[in-house]
Amino acid sequence: MATEPAPVTQNAAAVPAPAPWEDPPVAEAYGRLEEIVRATRPSGDLSALRKAFEKAAFWHRNRTRATGEPYILHPIAAAEILAGEQMDLVCLISALLHDVVEDEEVPVDEIRRLFGEEISRVVDGVTKLGKLKMASREERQAESVRKMLLAMTSDIRVIIVKLADRMHNLQTLEALPAERRQRIAHETLEIYVPIAHRLGMGRIRAQLEDLSFKYGEPEGCQEILQQLESRRQANQDYLQLIKHNVEQKLSRERIPVRVEGRLKRPYSIWQKMKRQHIAMDQVYDLLAIRIITDSVKNCYAALGVIHNEWHPIMGRIKDFIAIPRPNLYQSLHTSVIGPEGHSFEVQIRTEEMHRVAEEGIAAHWKYKEGRKGHEDEDQRIAWLRHLVEWQQEMREPQAFMSTLKVELYSEEVYCFTPKGKVIVLPRDACPIDFAYAIHSDVGAACVGAKVNGRIVPLKYQLRNGDVVEILTQPSHQPSKDWLALVKTSRARNKIRHVINATERAKAIEIGEKYLEKEARRLGVQLSRISKAQLEQVAGEYGHAKIEDLYAALGFGRFSARHVLHKVAPEIVPETAETPKVAASAPVTLPPGAPGSDLIVKVKGIDDVLVYRAKCCNPIRGESIVGYVTRGKGIAVHSTNCKNVQSLLYEPERKIDVEWARATSDSFPVKMMVYTDDRPGMLHEITSVFYNESSNIRSVEARGDQHRNDDSAIIDLTVEVRDKKQLEKILSAIRRISGVRDVERVQ
Ligand code: MN
């Protein structure tokens, strides 16, 4: 952690060693920066700039660059690049401070305290961008990263500072080993050059591109430069000829113009030659002239003159004045066949359009003498709006005009794998979505996730820039609860698929055992029944395979008895079944069958075989849990049943169940009443049930063997609707005089 720098007011006599900002090369570099700033704002207050410089110099005092120079020269150079673009003080100060959080661990709060909210936000943004890993050669990947950079950037100045940072790094790339040089150069070409282009910052873009091309594709660059060099004179002469010609023709038409001859950028030439497999001669826009005039009207007039003089190439006329590019670029473009049959490109624009083309979005953060920044706010918003649409560039040129979205890419989040691959997900996506985006096997086996090195719950909502590591366990199966968390249809479909398959497997197992059990009960020897016979029955139910028949039985679509009747009609007569929960549990209940009411329902499954477990015999209203038994369907236990705890050693057999809406079913409950043995007691007890319309299935009174007094025990099996009714009955019995206690028997 950095400590406070010495006070700015100097006391040279008391401090023998010079302060970090007094080191001659450092002071000189800063002096140059101030000079550039002064040139455009002679009366401006630069005390904040100076303060940022001194603080940054102090914080970086123990660091040197790869070149061995004091580190502070780098932020000063970045600020100088921005000063040359006449950027505002927030940009310049942020550039001076851009590495102190990352490299010197100066807290962002400290920046905020010293330099205010705006600057701290920009510095924080630049720091965050620096932490991203962006190492990929894939074009789609690069596009995602570019989008992400903008999505993360509420203040475009973060990007502008980052571009200046990158520019200076490229300018001093020589000091780094070749491998790192190439990596940085490629990253610049893939990420930062297109961003500079999207932001319309033509000048910065051109410099970044030339430098990265030199280091990133040294051979290609050298070859292009050699070829250009070999025809330099010819190209120059040719451009001079056209330029002269154009100036003459346009002045005859009284169109005031400035004409610039230019060569296509080396990197663009190289890309085009590579992409189209052509020689440099065949690049039709290798040579170009730019005509800058005073009005839109004269742009079109000039175009007319050009087309009158030289034959235009079909399909090469583009009117970016009527339909500006999303980055607000405006110009007329055409390619024509010039003298000696050589083609060249012509760009025609006004001075204002030219300024926008060169500076782009940066123009709106420029320092303007005597003006405050707010006037440009509308323009800035217009910029952001256009950026939103950059993907539609050239495809739907009108669409961006109507959009009102200001937030950039808010519908998507961009996250990284630990290896730096970008995963694009919808907003609010969770780690499960991320896992499925990697691979469905990773998704299925996902048991947890680390985000930025920390364990997070699976419901965690991913944020831009999160580095996500998925924790897996090979045998793990997706859970139904995940369906409520995931945001991608890919994850949802895969989870559903697995759950359906698992449920089907369970149903097959249940169905087969159900059939065996019923066969035993009804005296049918299944072993005597051939596979072909069963297959035929399956066919009658519309199923191709026996497995399907079992599954249908397991899901309770029809009863085992029906099946047995079909295979052994002589043993199992056809009877109308009216299945109901009987007193003796376990009970296989074919739910969904006509006349039956579901009493317990498995969450998310319409019909499956369920019964209430004998051990705890839960009744409506109690908290319950399902357990897939081997062969008897799903046993429903009370959550606090002792057996459940021991059954849970196979958690995958646990299944969520809930009490289903039901009309008339009732639950048998056994109870014991301890009473004084007196006349009329039994009558008083039974009348409680009568009043509650609860049926008594059995009642038996006996003397208490453990006591020798006149006490008695009454055993009852009664039918109750639900927990509430049971409690009402129990308390009514307790109120009877002479009743000592009553308990439910499990
Ligand atoms: Mn830097």
Side-chain angles (χ1 to χ4, degrees), residues 65 71 74-75 78 95 98-99 103 126 162 165-166 169:
R65 303 205 78 214
Y71 192 83
H74 161 62
H98 82 267
D99 277 331
D103 292 341
V126 178
K162 189 70 197 167
D165 173 37
R166 180 49 62 114
N169 284 337

Side-chain angles (χ1 to χ4, degrees), residues 143-162:
E143 176 65 18
S144 300
V145 175
R146 293 193 294 262
K147 282 166 71 184
M148 180 192 60
L149 290 188
L150 288 189
M152 292 175 70
T153 307
S154 53
D155 191 326
I156 289 293
R157 285 175 295 190
V158 170
I159 301 276
I160 294 173
V161 171
K162 189 70 197 167

Side-chain angles (χ1 to χ4, degrees), residues 17 258 339:
R258 178 157 63 87

Side-chain angles (χ1 to χ4, degrees), residues 350-409:
T350 65
E351 286 287 357
E352 173 61 18
M353 291 172 196
H354 185 56
R355 192 179 70 89
V356 170
E358 292 288 290
E359 295 167 358
I361 199 167
H364 301 288
W365 273 272
K366 267 198 152 163
Y367 172 80
K368 291 186 192 71
E369 193 77 52
R371 273 217 257 157
K372 284 269 175 184
H374 295 293
E375 293 170 34
D376 272 344
E377 213 54 48
D378 288 351
Q379 274 287 359
R380 292 181 192 183
I381 288 167
W383 262 110
L384 297 180
R385 208 177 286 162
H386 286 68
L387 281 169
V388 171
E389 300 301 322
W390 76 358
Q391 279 215 298
Q392 275 105 42
E393 185 178 18
M394 310 317 288
R395 259 179 278 147
E396 288 175 327
Q398 290 90 349
F400 68 78
M401 301 303 280
S402 60
T403 180
L404 286 167
K405 266 198 255 169
V406 173
E407 241 188 315
L408 292 168
Y409 297 106

